């Protein structure tokens, strides 16, 4: 049920706000260690595993060396999260900060990985429980309970999503809710997502942080968006969408030919791509867009977007970058061939020689070594 | 040369297919005992399953004569978690491993002598790729698969063609092949496999710390790998082997139809059957002779 996942994400935030002593007690439970590990961002998980059997503190500089430059923002997010949950302890040593795993967490996670967790409770023996419901019966029961509350799953999700866009701390009148939503709001108040208050004439609800953070957790990567674009090897584009936004995005880099109620047909052409490049869109951005929004039918194929299309998009991009500019200086009228050759060797040694014409004794040298060249020439004279 | 993966990994759900070398000829002479090796590997497998609820692990044993599945987390761990994941996994895996080793040994009794004591890597690679294909066809939401080769036996030259074919199909389906080589020399096959498919190859210097190597290098999921510093390929031996004798060669003859490699001139290609023309040197001397006669 989606509700469990949503609450779990914010549950972690609640866990993080517990005082250190309480957290230490929590970490004595192997399953909580596993749950915390699973809730971490992927990079943080890797760090925990890597440091699991290292007993000495590791300097933050060493930790930084594990990631490449591109990943430094993810690195920071991971480290911050680990410190927030007190999985990582900060040890300030003179000038360098070092990190060490929380020892309770470390010991119990080690035990969990080597010995495997045994749940604190066993299922009851079958001679005691008269008749266990089958999985189907359980499902039907769960569904039935939902229905009894008169709550449609879709409605609840819609309402929760709606709530997530409200402002924390602001009061909203209960009159603005539909009957269904009013039924839901009491349960949500029990769970701490909203606070109900009553004035003299009106009653209102105030969304708490738990509710407004829902949208953050729902954009979790575990929810994969439905793609809608099919790109063919003949550069034709088919987008199964009726959204105006999608149509405008496609118009940015492709020539939209037909627009049907559920389908947009277009073609990727040199002219349309030149337009996009002039507007500052890069080929990589276009290709990433096509790949990330690939229709499920083609998304499973490798590659999702045909290679000839991606290659051609990149080639057309380089068409606009044919000229490369380097700031340089031109040297002319050398007194003698020896001076010219000495200067040319000097420039070559400093990797600054861009062009030379030995017959007419002219050369073009990079602007960076212009000063050095001047000194060299003055020294020669 | 390695193709950049065109798939975008959005999350860290992984399917790891582990190819376990059970070749008794290697393990009897290794500094690390097979039992110690298994304890490192079992803890590593448990760590993978701990990282994410949806992670899956499949283990295929690479024997001397045969290969077989010995563990599949989606089947073996479905129920009975009340006894703990690790004990269930260990008992199930070890039992199947014992049955497999026994069967593998039986097949040796009919083997001719004089073979290099290598394991059947081509077989287990093919089985792994078939399993992964099935996962791909199961629908859009599937974990990201990769193959991890834990190998100690030397390369078997007679498996060159089969292994290269497996590597290229892994490259085509964007399945990285990681390899951890525990033997004495280097394994050119594994180095090539990891290089071509975009995986990681590593030869641990200290086998006692195998678990730490596995956790540091091979536990990283495919999404995080783009941000991490992992061992880079150094000095990969890209030399091909000839199809007739399986020797590594630097220069040879290639069939223009199917690109099979031979070390000596042949009249006919053994792979596709196309007939080759005369060799260069013979054709040149024939035309010389023709030119000489009209002059007289």
């Amino acid at each position: 049920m989606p509700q469990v996942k949503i609450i779990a994400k914010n549950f972690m935030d609640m866990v993080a706000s517990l005082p250190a002593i309480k957290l230490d007690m929590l970490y004595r439970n192997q399953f909580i260690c596993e749950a915390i590990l699973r809730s971490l961002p992927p990079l943080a998980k890797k760090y925990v595993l890597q440091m699991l059997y290292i007993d000495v503190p590791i300097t933050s500089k060493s930790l930084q060396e594990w990631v490449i430059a591109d990943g430094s923002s993810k690195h920071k997010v991971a480290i911050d999260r680990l410190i927030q949950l007190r999985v990582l302890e900060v040890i300030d040593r003179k000038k360098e900060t070092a990190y060490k795993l929380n020892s309770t967490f470390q010991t119990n996670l080690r035990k969990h990985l080597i010995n495997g967790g045994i749940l604190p409770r066993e299922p009851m023996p079958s001679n005691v429980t008269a008749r266990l419901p089958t999985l189907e019966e359980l499902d039907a029961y769960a569904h039935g309970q939902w229905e009894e509350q008169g709550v449609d799953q879709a409605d609840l999700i819609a309402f929760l999503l709606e709530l997530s866009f409200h402002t924390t701390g602001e009061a909203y009148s209960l009159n603005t809710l539909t009957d269904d939503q009013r039924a839901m709001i009491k349960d949500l108040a029990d769970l701490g997502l909203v606070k109900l208050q009553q004035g003299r004439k009106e009653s209102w609800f105030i969304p708490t942080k738990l509710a407004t953070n829902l949208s953050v957790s729902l954009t979790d990567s575990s929810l994969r968006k439905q793609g809608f674009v099919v790109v063919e090897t003949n550069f034709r584009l088919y987008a199964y969408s009726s959204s105006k936004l999608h149509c405008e995005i496609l118009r940015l880099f492709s020539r939209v030919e037909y627009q049907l109620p559920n389908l947009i047909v277009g073609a990727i052409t040199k002219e349309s791509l030149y337009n996009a490049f002039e507007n500052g869109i890069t080929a990589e951005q276009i290709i990433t867009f096509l790949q990330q929004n690939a229709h499920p039918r083609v998304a499973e194929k490798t590659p999702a977007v045909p290679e000839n299309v991606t290659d051609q998009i990149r080639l057309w991009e380089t068409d606009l970058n044919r000229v490369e500019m380097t700031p340089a200086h031109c040297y002319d009228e050398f007194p003698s061939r020896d001076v010219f050759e000495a200067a040319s060797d000097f420039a070559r040694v400093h990797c600054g020689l861009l062009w030379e014409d030995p017959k007419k004794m002219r050369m073009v040298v990079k602007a960076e070594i212009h000063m050095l060249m001047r000194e060299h020439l003055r020294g020669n004279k | 040369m390695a193709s950049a993966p065109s798939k975008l990994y959005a999350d860290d759900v992984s399917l790891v297919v582990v190819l376990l070398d059970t070749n008794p000829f290697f393990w009897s002479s290794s500094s690390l005992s097979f039992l110690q090796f298994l304890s490192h590997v079992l803890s590593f497998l448990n760590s993978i399953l701990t990282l994410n609820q949806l992670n899956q692990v499949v283990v295929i044993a690479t024997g001397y004569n045969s290969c077989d599945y010995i563990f599949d987390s989606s089947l073996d761990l479905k129920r009975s978690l009340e006894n703990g994941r690790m004990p269930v996994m260990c008992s199930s895996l070890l039992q199947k491993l014992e049955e497999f080793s026994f069967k593998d040994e039986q097949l040796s009794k009919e083997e001719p002598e004089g073979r290099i004591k290598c394991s059947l890597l081509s077989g287990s690679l093919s089985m792994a790729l078939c399993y992964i294909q099935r996962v791909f066809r199961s629908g859009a939401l599937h974990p990201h698969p990769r193959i991890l080769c834990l190998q100690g036996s030397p390369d078997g030259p007679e498996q060159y063609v089969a292994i290269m074919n497996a590597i290229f199909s892994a490259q085509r389906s964007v399945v990285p092949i990681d390899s951890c080589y525990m033997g004495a020399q280097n394994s050119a096959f594994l180095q090539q496999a990891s290089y071509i498919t975009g995986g990681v190859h590593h030869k641990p210097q200290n086998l006692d710390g195998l678990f730490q190597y596995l956790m540091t290098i091979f536990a990283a999921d495919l999404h995080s790998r783009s941000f991490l510093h992992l061992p880079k390929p150094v000095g990969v031996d890209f030399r091909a082997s000839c199809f007739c004798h399986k020797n590594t060669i630097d220069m040879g003859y290639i069939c223009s139809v199917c690109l099979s490699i031979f070390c000596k001139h042949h009249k006919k290609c053994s792979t596709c059957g196309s007939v080759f023309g005369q060799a260069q040197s013979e054709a040149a001397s024939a035309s010389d002779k023709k030119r000489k006669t009209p002059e007289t």
Side-chain angles (χ1 to χ4, degrees):
Chain A
M1 267 181 235
Q3 198 178 28
V4 178
K5 245 193 205 164
I6 295 167
I7 303 233
K9 259 297 166 152
N10 295 307
F11 182 71
M12 284 308 149
D13 290 338
M14 284 200 312
V15 169
S17 58
L18 289 172
I21 309 174
K22 289 251 169 97
L23 266 179
D24 245 22
M25 278 177 46
L26 269 186
Y27 288 154
R28 283 189 211 157
N29 181 326
Q30 291 184 6
F31 281 95
I32 297 203
C33 293
E34 176 169 341
I36 298 265
L37 181 68
R38 281 186 178 172
S39 74
L40 296 169
L43 218 55
K45 289 185 195 176
K46 204 222 169 251
Y47 293 162
V48 169
L49 284 189
Q50 203 160 328
M51 292 172 70
L52 191 59
Y53 276 90
I54 299 182
D55 294 319
V56 294
I58 303 184
T59 61
S60 70
K61 230 196 307 179
S62 310
L63 231 77
Q64 185 82 29
E65 282 171 9
W66 291 350
V67 262
I68 63 175
D70 270 350
S72 48
S73 59
K74 287 208 190 261
H75 172 80
K76 194 164 181 320
V77 165
I79 298 281
D80 286 344
R81 187 75 179 160
L82 286 171
I83 295 179
Q84 192 189 28
L85 285 167
R86 287 179 230 271
V87 167
L88 217 55
E89 282 167 10
V90 187
I91 300 172
D92 267 313
R93 257 198 205 152
K94 294 183 195 180
K95 287 184 189 171
E96 274 186 323
T97 37
Y99 300 117
K100 198 169 96 76
L101 275 187
N102 175 320
S103 38
T104 324
F105 182 84
Q106 192 177 22
T107 321
N108 284 304
L109 190 60
R110 280 187 199 175
K111 271 197 238 163
H112 189 68
L113 288 183
I114 308 299
N115 300 325
I118 302 182
L119 281 173
R121 61 193 66 77
E122 276 187 13
M124 300 183 60
S126 48
N127 52 358
V128 175
T129 54
R131 190 185 84 102
L132 287 178
T134 63
L135 285 172
E136 289 88 28
E137 286 171 3
L138 261 181
D139 263 348
Y141 171 72
H143 215 57
Q145 289 296 90
W146 269 116
E147 307 282 284
E148 246 184 53
Q149 302 286 335
V151 168
D152 182 24
Q153 269 198 1
D155 276 354
L156 174 63
I157 296 173
F159 183 40
L160 283 172
L161 275 179
E162 215 185 3
L163 259 188
S164 67
F165 289 109
H166 291 37
T167 325
T168 323
E170 290 285 352
Y172 298 91
S173 168
L174 280 178
N175 295 338
T176 55
L177 298 176
T178 65
D179 287 344
D180 288 316
Q181 288 172 333
R182 229 175 294 210
M184 288 189 241
I185 201 91
K186 295 223 173 64
D187 290 334
L188 295 180
D190 287 343
L191 288 167
L193 284 162
V194 295
K195 187 164 167 65
L196 291 172
Q197 278 188 332
Q198 253 184 330
R200 257 194 233 150
K201 289 188 194 170
E202 298 237 305
S203 14
W204 55 84
F205 70 92
I206 308 171
T208 66
K209 234 196 236 179
L210 283 181
T212 50
N213 279 345
L214 280 173
S215 54
V216 172
S217 54
L218 279 178
T219 52
D220 195 20
S221 50
S222 53
L223 268 183
R224 297 184 203 192
K225 268 192 307 185
Q226 264 278 25
F228 58 97
V229 175
V230 179
V231 183
E232 286 187 334
T233 52
N234 56 358
F235 290 83
R236 295 195 73 77
L237 201 71
Y238 301 93
Y240 286 89
S241 161
S242 41
S243 151
K244 274 216 114 185
L245 174 66
H246 290 158
C247 186
E248 287 308 312
I249 294 179
L250 290 174
R251 248 184 247 275
L252 282 175
F253 62 87
S254 67
R255 183 188 66 206
V256 172
E257 288 167 3
Y258 310 110
Q259 209 172 342
L260 304 170
N262 70 330
L263 177 66
I264 304 169
V265 181
I268 299 180
T269 64
K270 183 154 76 147
E271 294 81 22
S272 65
L273 282 177
Y274 276 6
N275 271 334
F277 297 145
E278 267 163 42
N279 284 329
I281 308 174
T282 65
E284 274 316 308
Q285 288 172 328
I286 297 176
I287 294 172
T288 317
F289 172 79
L290 291 173
Q291 283 174 336
Q292 283 182 330
N293 291 292
H295 191 276
R297 270 291 196 83
V298 285
E300 305 150 22
K301 275 201 315 188
T302 320
V305 179
E307 297 130 324
N308 65 327
V309 176
T310 54
D311 286 347
Q312 195 62 52
I313 295 179
R314 292 200 185 103
L315 283 173
W316 276 328
E317 183 185 43
T318 55
D319 269 354
L320 300 176
N321 299 334
R322 283 162 48 202
V323 183
E324 190 187 302
M325 294 205 282
T326 319
H329 289 259
C330 180
Y331 294 89
D332 203 354
E333 291 174 25
F334 281 86
S336 73
R337 184 154 288 274
D338 289 332
V339 175
F340 171 77
E341 274 173 23
S344 145
D345 288 337
F346 181 81
R348 208 168 283 134
V349 159
H350 290 264
C351 305
L353 186 67
L354 290 171
W355 174 83
E356 63 170 350
D357 184 357
K359 280 189 197 152
K360 296 195 181 151
M361 293 207 287
R362 287 193 287 189
M363 66 163 109
V364 173
V365 169
K366 279 192 196 167
E368 293 141 11
I369 63 169
H370 175 59
M371 287 294 134
L372 291 170
M373 275 299 281
R374 271 175 66 170
E375 307 223 342
H376 168 85
L377 289 169
R378 281 208 190 114
N380 263 14
K381 283 180 184 168
Chain B
M1 191 174 145
S3 64
S6 57
K7 275 197 185 161
L8 297 164
Y9 299 109
D11 54 46
D12 66 330
V13 182
S14 338
L15 160 65
V16 185
V17 183
V18 181
L19 308 181
L20 213 63
D21 186 358
T22 62
N23 184 3
F25 292 102
F26 166 69
W27 286 112
S28 54
S29 57
S30 160
S31 56
L32 183 75
S33 80
F34 189 61
L35 227 62
Q36 288 171 317
F37 168 69
L38 270 185
S39 66
H40 288 282
V41 173
L42 285 166
S43 306
F44 168 69
L45 295 179
N46 194 20
S47 318
I48 303 245
L49 292 170
T50 309
L51 280 178
N52 192 309
Q53 208 174 359
L54 301 168
N55 278 358
Q56 283 179 33
V57 164
V58 175
V59 184
I60 300 179
T62 314
Y64 182 65
N65 292 306
S66 59
C67 310
D68 202 5
Y69 294 95
I70 53 174
F71 181 73
D72 184 342
S73 69
S74 52
L75 301 172
D76 297 331
L77 287 186
K78 249 191 185 148
R79 37 187 86 230
S80 66
L81 268 183
E82 67 268 13
N83 290 329
R85 186 168 58 223
M86 189 65 165
V88 172
M89 178 168 77
C90 289
S91 60
S92 157
L93 197 152
L94 291 172
Q95 187 190 6
K96 290 229 185 99
L97 188 57
E98 222 181 284
E99 292 166 4
F100 169 76
S101 308
F102 182 69
K103 273 192 282 180
D104 196 44
E105 199 192 313
Q106 298 292 310
L107 292 168
S108 262
K109 309 236 161 112
E110 308 130 29
E111 257 285 306
E113 292 295 321
R115 217 186 90 181
I116 300 184
K117 311 295 182 201
C118 60
S119 59
L120 206 56
L121 181 61
S122 55
S124 53
L125 262 180
S126 313
M127 286 176 78
L129 287 168
C130 287
Y131 186 92
I132 290 176
Q133 270 303 312
R134 184 154 54 99
V135 169
F136 280 150
R137 286 166 207 213
S138 68
L141 280 177
H142 55 75
H144 302 299
R146 65 183 193 267
I147 299 179
L148 170 60
C149 247
L150 297 172
Q151 186 84 354
S153 316
D155 289 338
E158 69 274 5
Q159 299 177 41
Y160 173 73
V161 179
I163 292 187
M164 289 313 286
N165 284 338
I167 293 175
F168 291 131
S169 47
Q171 182 192 31
R172 190 74 177 87
S173 359
V174 195
V175 173
I177 300 180
D178 297 331
S179 46
C180 181
Y181 187 63
M182 300 168 292
Q185 287 94 23
N186 273 317
S187 165
F189 288 169
L190 290 179
Q191 282 178 325
Q192 280 199 51
S194 299
Y195 184 85
I196 292 175
T197 57
V200 181
H201 173 83
H202 193 66
K203 187 175 157 179
Q205 286 169 319
N206 190 346
L207 283 176
D208 288 331
L210 185 64
F211 179 68
Q212 186 69 14
Y213 285 103
L214 290 174
M215 295 291 243
T216 310
I217 304 174
F218 297 107
D221 58 280
L222 295 172
H223 174 56
S224 311
R225 278 186 193 196
S226 38
F227 306 109
L228 289 167
H229 271 135
L230 291 168
K232 293 224 183 7
V234 178
V236 184
D237 184 358
F238 283 114
R239 285 181 306 171
S241 303
C242 69
F243 284 34
C244 34
H245 309 104
K246 317 294 180 193
N247 304 323
T248 24
I249 52 174
D250 292 311
M251 291 203 351
Y253 295 82
I254 303 206
C255 167
S256 46
V257 175
C258 66
L259 301 182
S260 315
I261 305 165
F262 303 101
C263 53
K264 288 190 308 199
H265 173 69
H266 289 239
K267 290 249 167 59
K268 199 170 83 132
C269 172
S270 53
T271 320
C272 65
S274 13
V275 177
F276 296 136
Q278 275 180 316
Q280 276 283 26
S281 45
E282 295 172 31
S285 47
S287 61
D288 275 339
K289 284 183 188 153
K290 276 191 185 160
R291 256 190 278 133
K292 276 182 186 163
T293 34
E295 279 174 17
T296 52

